[in-house]
Amino acid sequence: MIRQQLGQHDRYVFTFKGKPVLKAGGNAWKKALNRASISEFRWHDLRHTWASWHVQAGTPLNVLQELGGWSDYSMVLRYAHLAPEHLAEYANRIADSAHFAHTKQEGIKKPVALGS
């Protein structure tokens, strides 16, 4: 469990016998995956999970870029689809604008003609 690693090292999350795991994908990694009955999982998948959780928790993409050390913003944009809620504010702007004002007349909504 990752929570068991909390406090085991002052800088690294993944340790083995008190020493940081500095190399991913080697024999130790493969043995750990086998012991956990996990197949087709790469060390780098943890980075994707971490970034996905950040976006889903509301971390702005520019902040995620800085936290993750991506130099190219297009790499961070891969995670944008995980938090579409930020688009709602902008989508509602046009719905709430005067251009779409309606008036009710006998139970039927009719568009109000606005000056152009």
Side-chain angles (χ1 to χ4, degrees), residues 18-49:
K19 295 183 180 179
V21 176
L22 301 175
K23 183 180 176 189
N27 286 333
W29 174 253
K30 292 172 185 172
K31 287 178 184 178
L33 290 177
N34 284 334
R35 284 193 307 270
S37 299
I38 298 173
S39 61
E40 297 183 30
F41 189 81
R42 301 163 302 155
W43 180 265
H44 197 74
D45 293 335
L46 297 171
R47 180 174 169 84
H48 294 302
T49 301

Side-chain angles (χ1 to χ4, degrees), residues 47-64:
R47 180 174 169 84
H48 294 302
T49 301
W50 170 85
S52 299
W53 287 350
H54 260 286
V55 171
Q56 291 168 346
T59 302
L61 295 178
N62 62 318
V63 173
L64 180 65

Side-chain angles (χ1 to χ4, degrees), residues 92-103 110-116:
N92 288 333
R93 285 183 183 181
I94 195 164
D96 294 339
S97 76
H99 296 292
F100 291 97
H102 291 81
T103 170
K110 294 185 179 180
V112 174
L114 299 174
S116 353

